[in-house]
Amino acid sequence: MSFMFKPYPYVDPQALNTPKLPPELRNSVTAGNRAVGKKLFEAAPEHGVVVLDGYVGAQFDRLIKRIEEAAAGKKVRKFDVSCAYKDSDELEKMLAETLPEDRVIDPILLFGKSIHREIESLFDPERVEALRRELAKAKQTADLVILYGCGSACGALHNCADVTAFLDVTPLSATTRVQAGRVRALGDAKERPLPYLFRRLYYYDYEIMMLHRKDLIARGDVDFYIDSNLEDNLKLLPLAAFRELLAIQTGYPFRCTPVYLEGVWGGFFVKNLRSLPSDMRNCAWVFDMIPNEVSIQIKVGGHTLNIPFSTFFKAEGERLMGKESVERFGHVFPIRFNYDDTYGGSGNMSIQVHPPRAYNQEHFGEPFQQDESYYVVKTAGSKTYLGLQDDCDIEEFYRCIDRAEKEHIPFDHDRYVNSFPSEQGDQYLIPGGTIHASGRNQVVLEIGSYTIGSYTFKLYDYLRSDLDGNPRPIHSIHGKNVLVTDRRRSRIDGVLRPKPVTVRQGDGWKEEIVGEHDLIYFSLRRLSFEHDIADDTNGKFHVLVLVEGDEVLICSKSDPTHCYHQKHMDMVVVPASMGEYEIINLGKTPCRVTKTMLK
């Protein structure tokens, strides 16, 4: 998995959630830029200040124009909050530790260091105070004052506002706007190449703005929430209605909106299954539930809102994830889910390794190690790489890696890296430090631990270029630093490729543990049933994937109308607050559903 640099620009309409909403909530959406502009103008008192804050990538110009149209004949003053940011050079100096530049260990400068900062770190205190004075002066002479830009509702400026709105943007929308050259890093005056820009955004801008958005919603410091993904069709809700919507959604099983990415080894199984656009070259990654990368679509009356999933889980942490999860991991969704699809593709995934906890903390400031797991959903004579061969000469292996990286000399990776013939339903565990890869001609469900960045250290990638013809980067120094060299076939078979253990069963159904490990904080389960099976969240969220079967109904036992129709390979979250629920087979063949939960 990598940063979402080049997602395919497609919002999957099938991933739609339709909770039952009271009439007043269904009718609470104001849609269309002209109507939204008028709403904000009318909400402001005479000589008032309208503050338009927003997530990275939010575009303010069109909405400001509509507010000005609504204020026709009146004097309007506008202020861009970026005038109060720190200088570009000062921000660059501040972020030097976050964005180290060492092209020996990190050839394309992909990795960074997570250092906790808040929105205030973006601002120069003296400039903020000067802006406050300007706003106060403008109120005396203008009929309406508009303050806009990321962070404009920060604590130091919040009490200047009479009306505040937040323009939210999904990660997919933000990324496509970055790619189109429409987004700069906050406060940055320099022209930057895309790799630099994305790294800066992930390690600073996105993080401070997610925290800022969470705090604004939690404190009630915004009056209106705006879905600004469709720039010509903004959708506004009063904050109270938005909060009510999220609270209601936590009472339902739900599906996030996937993000699809092409890749050099990409396959076609998911592309065909989900009828993805024909001009997609392939589908390598399916980010069904990478928490910081996906969104959630919710039907509200005649409108569909597309909300970043991070907005949802940070606002509804305890009801969604459970008290224990919030206490252990904070307001982050602690497990990520995606598909790797090589089915019918051109080759294997890269031979790779991820960092264990101590290395992750020291080098990247991440609190957890990057653990993963593979569940084989579909295979056609493939194999899965895991661990080293028993007779692997590690120094010889390293020499081969170095020659491939520096001299472009290929080698037979199968001499050193162990593999197992893949069978549908196989579960592999990949704690940090374990060498691994998915082979050609299969689809694996990848489930891993939470990290801000993505620390995939490629040791060998068959001397391939990416789809744009650029050499794929190798991170051999990091990889060799973290590789656990005693994880070899004879020691991992039955441990990292465990045998299922039945934990409960009944007439026509059973639940098995298919994967648990002391180093991994989540439990991988499998529910097999002919007709139906009952379960209980017991205060912990569950994530369910229909890996065998056509369609099931996931519904609350206390109110069966709180349900989701899940189709093959859909990922559905059952919120911690749901309690008892059941899964009903709507097809003609027995079903298997993977269930992931915190241990």
Side-chain angles (χ1 to χ4, degrees):
M1 190 195 74
S2 63
F3 285 152
M4 193 171 70
F5 290 172
K6 293 185 177 181
Y8 190 83
Y10 173 69
V11 179
D12 195 334
Q14 301 172 86
L16 182 62
N17 299 279
T18 57
K20 290 191 305 181
L21 304 176
E24 60 275 17
L25 181 51
R26 291 199 303 271
N27 297 323
S28 64
V29 177
T30 300
N33 294 16
R34 192 180 302 276
V36 170
K38 182 180 179 183
K39 182 87 171 180
L40 293 173
F41 170 72
E42 291 177 345
E46 188 174 1
H47 304 295
V49 177
V50 173
V51 169
L52 303 177
D53 204 334
Y55 190 68
V56 179
Q59 304 294 308
F60 300 96
D61 291 351
R62 297 185 196 189
L63 179 55
I64 291 172
K65 182 178 179 181
R66 293 305 186 187
I67 296 173
E68 289 179 306
E69 288 177 359
K74 296 183 179 295
K75 184 178 181 181
V76 179
R77 291 283 307 276
K78 295 174 290 187
F79 295 86
D80 185 340
V81 77
S82 65
C83 69
Y85 293 169
K86 293 175 180 174
D87 283 333
S88 178
D89 290 342
E90 185 178 355
L91 286 169
E92 189 169 6
K93 183 177 180 180
M94 181 184 79
L95 295 173
E97 184 182 358
T98 294
L99 306 175
E101 298 193 11
D102 184 344
R103 291 187 181 273
V104 174
I105 195 168
D106 185 5
I108 64 168
L109 301 182
L110 177 65
F111 309 124
K113 191 165 188 178
S114 176
I115 299 172
H116 179 79
R117 293 184 176 90
E118 297 185 347
I119 191 70
E120 286 74 20
S121 65
L122 179 64
F123 288 95
D124 179 293
E126 292 183 3
R127 292 177 180 176
V128 169
E129 188 55 39
L131 177 57
R132 286 174 56 87
R133 292 194 296 269
E134 286 294 315
L135 291 170
K137 188 185 303 182
K139 287 183 70 171
Q140 304 303 314
T141 58
D143 297 298
L144 182 69
V145 178
I146 300 173
L147 173 65
Y148 65 95
C150 295
S152 54
C154 69
L157 295 169
H158 174 67
N159 63 4
C160 298
D162 295 291
V163 177
T164 303
F166 190 90
L167 283 69
D168 214 353
V169 182
T170 66
L172 177 60
S173 293
T175 301
T176 55
R177 292 173 188 177
V178 172
Q179 288 177 318
R182 302 175 61 201
V183 178
R184 282 180 179 265
L186 299 177
D188 193 5
K190 299 180 181 180
E191 293 291 336
R192 304 288 192 178
L194 279 176
Y196 175 95
L197 179 54
F198 274 115
R199 186 168 71 135
R200 158 70 191 268
L201 293 175
Y202 269 87
Y203 284 100
Y204 180 65
D205 302 49
Y206 289 166
E207 284 297 301
I208 65 167
M209 288 308 299
M210 276 194 282
L211 178 61
H212 177 53
R213 179 179 59 196
K214 168 189 170 293
D215 289 344
L216 289 177
I217 293 172
R219 294 194 302 257
D221 283 350
V222 289
D223 301 292
F224 300 102
Y225 175 91
I226 299 176
D227 171 355
S228 71
N229 294 290
L230 299 177
E231 294 180 71
D232 291 320
N233 188 19
L234 303 178
K235 303 181 187 77
L236 174 149
L237 277 84
L239 181 64
F242 180 68
R243 282 172 155 177
E244 183 183 5
L245 176 66
L246 298 186
I248 289 173
Q249 186 63 69
T250 61
Y252 286 75
F254 65 87
R255 184 180 172 212
C256 288
T257 302
V259 178
Y260 302 100
L261 296 89
E262 301 165 322
V264 65
W265 41 259
F268 299 90
F269 185 82
V270 175
K271 184 175 186 288
N272 293 329
L273 175 71
R274 295 186 178 172
S275 301
L276 301 182
S278 59
D279 59 354
M280 281 188 70
R281 290 172 287 185
N282 59 46
C283 185
W285 294 276
V286 185
F287 287 8
D288 259 56
M289 250 288 294
I290 305 291
N292 285 354
E293 307 282 24
V294 298
S295 60
I296 176 171
Q297 295 180 84
I298 307 176
K299 192 75 170 175
V300 184
H303 306 283
T304 297
L305 296 185
N306 196 4
I307 302 163
F309 184 49
S310 58
T311 302
F312 184 23
F313 66 69
K314 288 183 182 297
E316 289 291 337
E318 196 161 311
R319 278 184 287 210
L320 175 55
M321 298 176 289
K323 182 178 180 180
E324 179 186 339
S325 179
V326 174
E327 289 176 348
R328 289 173 63 184
F329 302 101
H331 284 265
V332 299
F333 199 93
I335 310 177
R336 56 178 175 80
F337 302 77
N338 64 279
Y339 290 112
D340 302 320
D341 186 349
T342 63
Y343 201 88
S346 60
N348 302 335
M349 292 176 64
S350 61
I351 303 295
Q352 58 189 249
V353 64
H354 305 298
R357 183 169 187 166
Y359 198 86
N360 235 10
Q361 290 175 328
E362 178 185 354
H363 290 267
F364 308 117
E366 297 275 6
F368 314 112
Q369 67 185 46
Q370 188 165 329
D371 299 317
E372 288 185 352
S373 62
Y374 287 165
Y375 184 93
V376 179
V377 178
K378 180 77 173 178
T379 186
S382 186
K383 55 186 176 182
T384 301
Y385 291 91
L386 188 70
L388 298 167
Q389 298 281 16
D390 281 330
D391 61 356
C392 171
D393 181 327
I394 196 67
E395 295 304 323
E396 182 180 299
F397 181 40
Y398 286 165
R399 286 194 293 272
C400 289
I401 290 170
D402 291 340
R403 283 198 298 268
E405 181 180 8
K406 297 170 185 174
E407 302 174 45
H408 308 290
I409 299 173
F411 68 95
D412 181 9
H413 56 282
D414 285 295
R415 284 187 55 192
Y416 308 98
V417 185
N418 171 62
S419 64
F420 297 98
S422 295
E423 295 184 13
Q424 185 177 6
D426 283 351
Q427 178 73 71
Y428 298 90
L429 303 177
I430 313 170
T434 308
I435 197 167
H436 65 282
S438 177
R440 179 181 178 272
N441 256 347
Q442 65 180 5
V443 180
V444 297
L445 168 59
E446 180 181 316
I447 301 173
S449 53
Y450 172 86
T451 52
I452 291 173
S454 175
Y455 309 103
T456 297
F457 306 145
K458 299 184 187 74
L459 293 172
Y460 185 57
D461 197 37
Y462 326 105
L463 309 186
R464 286 184 297 200
S465 297
D466 63 22
L467 291 178
D468 296 324
N470 302 310
R472 302 243 299 165
I474 301 297
H475 303 99
S476 60
I477 297 175
H478 276 311
K480 288 184 285 188
N481 283 346
V482 305
L483 180 62
V484 179
T485 59
D486 63 356
R487 287 185 187 153
R488 305 193 177 219
R489 182 179 182 113
S490 59
R491 299 188 64 178
I492 64 175
D493 200 7
V495 178
L496 300 186
R497 190 179 71 148
K499 294 181 179 179
V501 176
T502 299
V503 292
R504 63 187 182 107
Q505 60 184 336
D507 186 15
W509 63 268
K510 67 177 176 179
E511 177 176 355
E512 302 165 290
I513 295 175
V514 293
E516 283 189 351
H517 192 280
D518 290 344
L519 294 175
I520 298 176
Y521 57 69
F522 49 84
S523 176
L524 302 165
R525 310 287 182 100
R526 183 168 61 204
L527 309 174
S528 302
F529 54 98
E530 295 179 11
H531 303 294
D532 57 73
I533 188 170
D535 211 333
D536 191 334
T537 62
N538 289 310
K540 295 183 178 182
F541 69 88
H542 294 173
V543 178
L544 308 178
V545 183
L546 181 59
V547 290
E548 294 182 41
D550 297 322
E551 185 176 6
V552 299
L553 182 69
I554 304 169
C555 57
S556 165
K557 293 196 77 172
S558 62
D559 186 347
T561 65
H562 286 217
C563 61
Y564 193 94
H565 285 262
Q566 181 183 37
K567 295 184 178 179
H568 183 55
M569 290 181 62
D570 287 354
M571 296 185 191
V572 174
V573 180
V574 181
S577 61
M578 270 197 64
E580 294 185 353
Y581 67 95
E582 59 183 343
I583 312 172
I584 302 168
N585 185 1
L586 301 179
K588 296 180 180 179
T589 59
C591 293
R592 279 184 163 180
V593 172
T594 64
K595 179 178 81 172
T596 306
M597 55 189 283
L598 294 175
K599 287 198 295 189

